[in-house]
Amino acid sequence: SGIWIPTGSQTILGIHPEVGFQGGVDNKNFSFQFTLIIKFLKTANKYNAKRVHTNDSIESTNIFGGPYVGLDFGKTFFEFKRSKIQALAGLGFDAFTALEPLKDSNGRYEDVRSYNLNVGVGYRYYFKNKSYLGVEAKYNFVDYSLTGVTQLKGDFMSIRFIYGHIDKAK
């Protein structure tokens, strides 16, 4: 679980919770994960979105929710007993729904989509049973104006709290 914190003109969207999962491998020096995160809840403030697939109208909305799907990489730069600090980087797909379909639009939602390049730092504390608690702080580079649905500029920070179980790669 975690929080999504926008920057720039995207701050109008407000802070949102995230939930998801990771699966991957971990060894002494590196970790590789497939990550799926869903951000959700309506925005506190309305923002403008364009119906690019139907009638090009611009509407005020507070709809928000969507996934990040990506591959994340960690490089250990400090390890002590059961603790590990890693430099993190990731590459993925990021999106959210901005507008519900019109009644006669064949169910077409208007979604905002972008690449996601992210960098940050993570800490993990490993228990004897191979489970761990962790926290990750990342800066995410996105361009939510790519689809033309919004013109919002900025990136976002993500702070994630992780409970996991990992079998060490040999």
Side-chain angles (χ1 to χ4, degrees), residues 34-54:
F34 167 78
T35 303
L36 172 63
I37 301 287
I38 304 294
K39 50 194 170 292
F40 57 96
L41 291 182
K42 291 186 177 191
T43 62
N45 304 297
K46 294 212 176 224
Y47 64 98
N48 289 330
K50 184 176 182 180
R51 291 198 179 273
V52 297
H53 294 100
T54 54

Side-chain angles (χ1 to χ4, degrees), residues 141-159:
F141 300 92
V142 294
D143 184 356
Y144 287 147
S145 67
L146 288 175
T147 58
V149 175
T150 72
Q151 295 304 312
L152 298 174
K153 297 288 185 186
D155 301 310
F156 68 90
M157 292 285 301
S158 56
I159 300 172

Side-chain angles (χ1 to χ4, degrees), residues 1-15:
S1 65
I3 54 175
W4 182 93
I5 307 164
T7 67
S9 64
Q10 290 177 174
T11 57
I12 194 169
L13 300 173
I15 296 172

